Amino acid sequence: IQGVADATTAAKNNVDKASDNDGIAKAQADGVNAIDGQHVSGTKVDDQKANAKAELDQAAAKVTEAIKNDATLSAADKAKQIQGVADATTAAKNNVDKATDNDGITKAQADGINNIDSQHVSGTKVDDQKTAAKAELDQEAAKVTEAIKNDATLSAADKAKQIQGVADTTTAADRKSVV
């Protein structure tokens, strides 16, 4: 808009400087051309929409890959989050399609990318998951060991053998959770 104002001012100044009819006509024609030259159309709306959708697809692919490689998520959590990415991508593309101008397309794209990015939520750290699993194993082992000790139907030798079995199983499970 400032370019139009500047071109208009310059054209008027050139008209004022003209000393005859031909000079005025030339200054006016040059001024009209300069003013008209200030409007340069941007990328077509349909092309902007296609570009926005391509960027949404790229964002979705990036987030989906991050979800797939997230060791803190279970397979079910990964599937749920990947579906969330797909749904967010579809919604964002629909919003891009509904947009009628550059500002609307840009907003739909930015909002869509934010929504896509928000679909990936890491789970509990693997080390924390291991610690929790080990604590649950220890609790279960203590409960079963106590039940064995209080079982009046078992001999002392049977109790010792079963308690050792619980200890061995717990140790083996602990080793597997470390890997």
Side-chain angles (χ1 to χ4, degrees):
I1 295 177
Q2 185 59 46
V4 171
D6 293 344
T8 302
T9 301
K12 287 179 180 180
N13 288 339
N14 289 336
V15 167
D16 285 341
K17 291 178 188 175
S19 58
D20 60 21
N21 187 9
D22 289 339
I24 294 171
K26 181 174 180 353
Q28 181 182 6
D30 290 348
V32 168
N33 286 337
I35 293 168
D36 288 347
Q38 297 305 309
H39 178 214
V40 179
S41 291
T43 305
K44 292 180 182 178
V45 170
D46 287 343
D47 292 342
Q48 290 180 39
K49 288 181 179 184
N51 292 337
K53 289 178 184 181
E55 289 192 31
L56 289 166
D57 284 336
Q58 289 174 355
K62 178 183 166 191
V63 173
T64 297
E65 192 62 26
I67 292 168
K68 287 179 180 178
N69 293 325
D70 190 338
T72 68
L73 297 173
S74 67
D77 288 338
K78 287 180 182 184
K80 182 179 177 184
Q81 289 187 21
I82 289 170
Q83 185 60 51
V85 169
D87 293 346
T89 303
T90 299
K93 286 181 176 183
N94 289 339
N95 289 336
V96 166
D97 282 336
K98 291 175 188 173
T100 59
D101 60 16
N102 177 279
D103 290 339
I105 293 167
T106 301
K107 182 175 180 353
Q109 177 186 342
D111 290 350
I113 288 173
N114 287 337
N115 192 13
I116 290 167
D117 287 343
S118 73
Q119 299 306 308
H120 180 204
V121 179
S122 291
T124 305
K125 292 179 184 177
V126 173
D127 287 343
D128 293 343
Q129 291 179 35
K130 289 179 182 182
T131 300
K134 288 178 185 180
E136 287 180 30
L137 290 169
D138 289 341
Q139 287 175 350
E140 187 63 21
K143 183 174 93 176
V144 172
T145 299
E146 192 61 33
I148 292 169
K149 287 180 182 178
N150 294 329
D151 189 340
T153 65
L154 297 175
S155 66
D158 288 339
K159 288 180 182 183
K161 183 178 176 182
Q162 288 184 18
I163 289 171
Q164 186 59 50
V166 169
D168 292 345
T169 302
T170 303
T171 301
D174 259 355
R175 281 193 214 124
K176 286 183 182 176
S177 70
V178 172
V179 175

